[in-house]
Amino acid sequence: MSTIRLEIVTPERKVFEDDVNMVIARGVEGELGILPKHAPFVTPLVVSALRIKKGKEEKVVAISGGFLEVSQNKVVILAEAAELPEEIDVNRALAAKERAERRLAQSGKEELDFKRAQLALKRALNRLKVAQHK
Ligand code: ATP
């Protein structure tokens, strides 16, 4: 089966690197499946669970926004933050979720705080979902 190189990096570290068969990501315009020999391409990513297929295995990575670039049979994801399921601290994500929900209840919809809390809630829910793949 043909492969494509996948690298997931954050400003802090390299989270993942391997030759894989398919990458399924959620860009701002919707879900995309990237196969080997995909044409050059760049898109911003939304907070989402990235899926990686290799043989019969599927891995999931929590991505907290960033960019995806495809070039020369390589996918590079530069994420604001990214965690593998086993790296996720579930209690921390639960605390972040509760904090965000409290802030959403306290601030008006037009306020910057509301938008920030909405994003924080998305990150926390995404981490809780990905952590289930441990
Ligand atoms: P928190 O309020 O708990 O810090 P956050 O969504 O604001 O959550 P980020 O700013 O997205 O956190 O991430 C900051 C750093 O902490 C990143 O390196 C990220 O990988 C890590 N991180 C955040 N939440 C968790 C978690 N629940 N488990 C493991 N690492 C986490």
Side-chain angles (χ1 to χ4, degrees), residues 12 64 81-83 87-90 92-93 96 99 120 123 127:
E12 290 160 6
S64 297
E83 302 92 30
E87 293 169 340
I88 293 173
D89 177 339
V90 169
R92 177 173 168 180
R99 227 168 25 246
R123 292 195 300 273
R127 286 178 176 126

Side-chain angles (χ1 to χ4, degrees), residues 31-88:
E31 191 166 80
L32 15 123
I34 298 158
L35 292 165
K37 303 194 175 64
H38 194 288
F41 178 74
V42 177
T43 181
L45 294 176
V46 297
V47 176
S48 55
L50 183 88
R51 287 156 59 205
I52 305 165
K53 294 194 178 194
K54 180 166 182 168
K56 288 193 178 124
E57 272 186 48
E58 181 167 317
K59 284 199 168 73
V60 180
V61 182
I63 303 286
S64 297
F67 287 89
L68 176 151
E69 180 190 34
V70 187
S71 72
Q72 296 178 330
N73 210 37
K74 184 172 175 185
V75 182
V76 176
I77 293 177
L78 180 55
E80 283 161 38
E83 302 92 30
L84 300 166
E86 57 271 22
E87 293 169 340
I88 293 173

Side-chain angles (χ1 to χ4, degrees):
M1 213 188 279
S2 60
T3 60
I4 186 165
R5 189 85 179 157
L6 171 64
E7 260 183 53
I8 304 174
V9 294
T10 71
E12 290 160 6
R13 66 190 180 111
K14 183 169 285 185
V15 177
F16 183 91
E17 183 172 25
D18 200 2
D19 294 317
V20 304
N21 300 124
M22 187 177 188
V23 180
I24 301 164
R26 190 166 291 276
V28 287
E29 287 172 16
E31 191 166 80
L32 15 123
I34 298 158
L35 292 165
K37 303 194 175 64
H38 194 288
F41 178 74
V42 177
T43 181
L45 294 176
V46 297
V47 176
S48 55
L50 183 88
R51 287 156 59 205
I52 305 165
K53 294 194 178 194
K54 180 166 182 168
K56 288 193 178 124
E57 272 186 48
E58 181 167 317
K59 284 199 168 73
V60 180
V61 182
I63 303 286
S64 297
F67 287 89
L68 176 151
E69 180 190 34
V70 187
S71 72
Q72 296 178 330
N73 210 37
K74 184 172 175 185
V75 182
V76 176
I77 293 177
L78 180 55
E80 283 161 38
E83 302 92 30
L84 300 166
E86 57 271 22
E87 293 169 340
I88 293 173
D89 177 339
V90 169
N91 287 332
R92 177 173 168 180
L94 281 172
K97 172 179 175 282
E98 279 164 24
R99 227 168 25 246
E101 285 169 343
R102 268 201 310 277
R103 295 206 321 262
L104 283 175
Q106 286 163 359
S107 52
K109 284 199 166 100
E110 299 313 313
E111 289 172 36
L112 187 58
D113 256 12
F114 189 88
K115 304 236 153 47
R116 286 174 58 185
Q118 266 183 329
L119 263 178
L121 181 59
K122 277 188 190 163
R123 292 195 300 273
L125 292 175
N126 188 43
R127 286 178 176 126
L128 292 171
K129 180 170 119 187
V130 169
Q132 288 175 355
H133 293 262
K134 266 185 206 186

